[in-house]
Amino acid sequence: MKSLIAFLIVGFAVLTSGCTTTGVVLHETPLNISETRKSIVSVIGEPRSVSENGREMLSFYYDKKGNEIAKGNMDMAKERYYTHITILGDRRPYDIQVEVLIQDRDSEGGFDTTDRDDDKAAVLAEKIRKALNQSRDSRNIIDDFRSF
């Protein structure tokens, strides 16, 4: 009986410790990495930060309505949002993870990440999916293969 309970506990631990993703994931996007980045930038605007390999992008801060918060108004903001986009995979087709993070002002005047908004992430992911499809329809097949 003790071995059965131990087996169930270990089995439950293995199942619950699996990799979990947050936000919204677009699966198997067909474009190359540079076209994917262009499509993402067309939706979120010029990123505030880009990782060294170009696969992670952070948008500028914006408010609950989606309006960008100017640097002069940042001191008055009690809450701010930003988008974190990650291009997953080492080759095509790529997966794109979209997260919208919410930061609240703490007692010291800084900001702490307190929550995620998956509804806003779903809206942005749908816009990115549409931009990827438009980009795929307008690309030149000869240039994509780089035959010369």
Side-chain angles (χ1 to χ4, degrees):
M1 183 67 176
K2 288 182 181 180
S3 63
L4 177 63
I5 292 173
F7 178 74
L8 290 175
I9 290 173
V10 170
F12 181 74
V14 168
L15 288 175
T16 58
S17 67
C19 181
T20 59
T21 59
T22 57
V24 178
V25 178
L26 295 171
H27 295 284
E28 298 186 3
T29 59
L31 299 179
N32 62 30
I33 195 77
S34 63
E35 295 275 332
T36 301
R37 274 189 242 141
K38 287 177 189 175
S39 297
I40 291 169
V41 168
S42 74
V43 172
I44 68 166
E46 200 60 39
R48 166 175 55 102
S49 173
V50 178
S51 67
E52 193 172 309
N53 65 1
R55 291 178 180 247
E56 286 188 62
M57 295 179 227
L58 300 175
S59 72
F60 281 98
Y61 299 109
Y62 52 92
D63 62 12
K64 191 173 192 173
K65 296 179 182 176
N67 302 320
E68 188 173 323
I69 300 174
K71 288 191 179 198
N73 295 336
M74 193 66 71
D75 295 336
M76 299 171 53
K78 294 180 182 177
E79 176 181 73
R80 66 185 183 185
Y81 292 70
Y82 70 94
T83 305
H84 180 214
I85 297 179
T86 309
I87 301 171
L88 305 169
D90 58 348
R91 61 184 150 191
R92 282 195 279 189
Y94 298 107
D95 291 342
I96 301 172
Q97 180 181 8
V98 181
E99 294 178 287
V100 174
L101 299 137
I102 303 170
Q103 292 184 328
D104 291 322
R105 190 173 294 279
D106 60 13
S107 60
E108 298 170 359
F111 285 94
D112 290 328
T113 302
T114 57
D115 202 6
R116 300 178 193 285
D117 191 342
D118 288 340
D119 294 332
K120 285 186 188 288
V123 170
L124 284 172
E126 182 61 24
K127 288 180 181 178
I128 291 171
R129 187 187 63 75
K130 287 180 181 176
L132 288 167
N133 287 339
Q134 288 174 354
S135 180
R136 183 179 67 179
D137 293 340
S138 65
R139 71 179 181 175
N140 185 348
I141 194 76
I142 300 295
D143 290 342
D144 194 42
F145 286 119
R146 300 182 193 274
S147 59
F148 299 105

